[in-house]
């Protein structure tokens, strides 16, 4: 790919991520009419990425987790003059991986159904498909998340649970986001 088309693609992706989606109600059928192939496209790309490199399954799950103290794809946003993004927060810098897999999925979806599937939903489906690709249990992903047009370095630093948190710190970090202790344990398991 020529440097120039790479540049354009990147801007198309950022623009496409900003379009967001139209409803506030999450549903597993959200794209059934507007982009029926969405899940199939994501599944194929995740399967390819995981069979190329097994570790990518865990990386995509973690990318969703680190987006999901918000679940709005803000983790994907690069710094702009208006905000400093989350990519370089302590929990994310030099450890978040899989951005290129998400970019590849987004560009395929933009060809199939332009401006329809949010990046936040791509992250959510990719996480479930990653677990499935590694032989684990997929879950039903309710869809219709909207993409953020901003990001917060400070919230990423303060809200994401640090790897050295003790049990009560973990319980608090997750309960601040509405999770029970049991849900925290369930969510923490595959990330170790
Ligand atoms: C396959 O995985 C390697 C790392 O193991 C990576 O460098 C390469 O870009 C990947 N190729 C594709 C097509 O994803
Ligand atoms: C920064 O915010 C202003 C005002 O909302 C907006 O017009 C401008 O496009 C933004 N710049 C970037 C790089 O997002």
């Amino acid at each position: 790919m020529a440097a120039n088309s790479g540049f354009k693609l990147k801007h198309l992706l950022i623009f496409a991520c900003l379009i967001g989606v139209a409803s506030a109600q999450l549903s597993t059928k959200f794209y059934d009419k507007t982009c029926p192939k969405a899940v199939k496209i994501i599944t194929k790309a995740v399967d390819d990425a995981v069979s190329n490199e097994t570790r990518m399954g865990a990386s995509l799950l973690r990318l969703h987790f680190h987006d999901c103290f918000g679940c709005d794809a803000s983790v994907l946003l690069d710094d702009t003059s208006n905000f400093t993004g989350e990519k370089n927060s302590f929990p994310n810098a030099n450890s978040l991986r899989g951005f290129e897999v998400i970019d590849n999925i987004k560009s395929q979806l933009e060809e199939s159904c332009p401006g329809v599937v949010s990046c936040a939903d791509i992250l959510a489906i990719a996480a479930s498909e990653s677990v499935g690709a590694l032989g684990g249990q997929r879950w039903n992903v309710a869809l219709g998340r909207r993409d953020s047009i901003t990001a917060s370095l400070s919230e990423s630093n303060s809200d994401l649970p640090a790897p050295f948190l003790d049990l009560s710190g973990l319980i608090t970090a997750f309960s601040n986001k509405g999770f029970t202790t049991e849900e925290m344990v369930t969510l923490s398991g595959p990330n170790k």
Side-chain angles (χ1 to χ4, degrees):
M1 189 185 284
N4 188 40
S5 66
F7 178 80
K8 278 196 204 133
L9 178 64
K10 189 169 172 209
H11 282 78
L12 174 70
L13 293 177
I14 291 168
F15 175 68
C17 285
L18 293 179
I19 293 174
V21 287
S23 165
Q25 190 64 47
L26 297 189
S27 157
T28 54
K29 300 179 191 313
F30 193 80
Y31 297 115
D32 280 7
K33 293 213 170 71
T34 51
C35 194
K37 282 191 289 186
V39 174
K40 201 170 279 180
I41 288 171
I42 298 169
T43 303
K44 169 82 168 66
V46 169
D47 281 351
D48 288 351
V50 171
S51 62
N52 174 59
E53 187 201 8
T54 309
R55 184 185 169 198
M56 189 52 75
S59 297
L60 291 171
L61 178 63
R62 185 168 183 265
L63 189 57
H64 176 51
F65 162 42
H66 280 210
D67 185 44
C68 245
F69 273 41
C71 293
D72 56 4
S74 58
V75 78
L76 303 177
L77 297 177
D78 289 327
D79 298 351
T80 73
S81 47
N82 292 340
F83 62 81
T84 304
E86 299 163 21
K87 287 185 173 177
N88 290 314
S89 70
F90 294 116
N92 292 341
N94 301 317
S95 70
L96 274 195
R97 305 173 74 246
F99 293 109
E100 69 286 359
V101 177
I102 303 300
D103 285 350
N104 167 35
I105 291 169
K106 182 62 177 170
S107 61
Q108 290 186 53
L109 288 171
E110 286 310 292
E111 276 182 28
S112 282
C113 13
V116 171
V117 183
S118 73
C119 294
D121 282 339
I122 295 172
L123 288 169
I125 300 169
S128 171
E129 291 303 323
S130 289
V131 171
L134 293 171
Q137 177 82 47
R138 291 178 177 80
W139 58 93
N140 289 329
V141 183
L143 300 168
R145 288 165 193 75
R146 286 161 166 270
D147 288 337
S148 179
I149 57 168
T150 186
S152 170
L153 177 69
S154 62
E155 277 180 29
S156 180
N157 276 327
S158 64
D159 290 10
L160 281 170
F164 49 77
L165 281 189
D166 61 11
L167 180 61
S168 69
L170 285 169
I171 290 171
T172 304
F174 279 83
S175 113
N176 286 342
K177 298 293 173 183
F179 293 106
T180 65
T181 302
E182 190 178 24
E183 287 165 342
M184 181 277 287
V185 171
T186 306
L187 289 166
S188 301
N191 204 41
K192 296 292 178 224

